[in-house]
Amino acid sequence: MTIRVVVADDQELVRSGFAMILDAQEDIEVVAEAGDGAAAVAAVRSLAPDVALLDVRMPVLDGIGACREISAAGSCRTVMLTTFDSDEYVYEALHAGAAGFLLKDVRRDDLVHAVRVVAAGESLLAPSVARRLIAEYTAATARPAAAVALSAQRLEVLTARERETLLHLGRGLSNAELAAELTVSEHTVKSHVGNVLSKLGLRDRIQAVICAYETGLIAAGSQVSPSGE
């Protein structure tokens, strides 16, 4: 099955470069390019692609707004293009429904891999991107201890192993890394992850990362280790 992609970035060279890389793959087809968020939303509505690659900062409608509209409208999955030093509102894209993040200097192979992973229904949680973005946001947004304690009550529905799984999801570990950390099979990991998402009412792994920080399970900027270590 061919993965159909819309690429949106207001920098023509970046946009064309990504499109060229993706179009060169036998299983990926770039069906449209867009120079702003509104054009990206229009392309998604008319062409129904599988994945939309969105720059966070674009004219007319920014990437976050485009992500929100695309996510609310249908089954197209969104991947945000970002830079740590200039994008201040990427956290909002998590709540808008983004399925993953890539740095704009992403390697060719990582770009292709990201599109395939997201098209398959998974979320892209590279620790170097998602964890740092959320940690920076939570560090800048101090929350009263009472609010954190109230949020932490959500975790009471989890078993000890499921809580540990959520902790590692918050660190950005992949299924394979989780399996190694918990000393279980990847099949068992998928079961644990599914239970965590279901019990907490979370849509995907990215929302699990948010939950791990918002409930205080992981402190922003901390080095996390599993319980008992």
Side-chain angles (χ1 to χ4, degrees), residues 33-53:
E33 296 181 34
D36 62 70
V41 172
V44 169
R45 287 175 176 168
S46 63
L47 299 171
D50 302 297
V51 177
L53 204 61

Side-chain angles (χ1 to χ4, degrees), residues 91 127 130-136 138-139 143 148 151 166-167 169-172 207-222 224:
Y91 180 84
R131 182 177 57 173
R132 179 173 171 183
L133 288 170
I134 296 170
E136 288 181 354
T138 53
R143 305 178 66 210
V148 173
S151 296
L166 176 60
L167 183 148
L169 287 174
R171 295 173 58 199
Q207 287 198 342
V209 174
I210 298 172
C211 181
Y213 281 92
E214 288 188 337
T215 58
L217 185 61
I218 298 178
S222 66
V224 185

Side-chain angles (χ1 to χ4, degrees), residues 1-8 15-16 18-35 39-54 70 76-77 115:
M1 183 182 72
T2 300
I3 302 170
R4 303 172 75 250
V5 181
V6 166
V7 178
R15 183 174 72 242
S16 299
F18 285 163
M20 181 177 63
I21 291 170
L22 295 174
D23 247 346
Q25 309 303 311
E26 292 184 358
D27 60 336
I28 299 176
E29 176 189 5
V30 175
V31 295
E33 296 181 34
V41 172
V44 169
R45 287 175 176 168
S46 63
L47 299 171
D50 302 297
V51 177
L53 204 61
L54 306 173
I70 291 170
C76 179
R77 308 267 288 166
V115 168

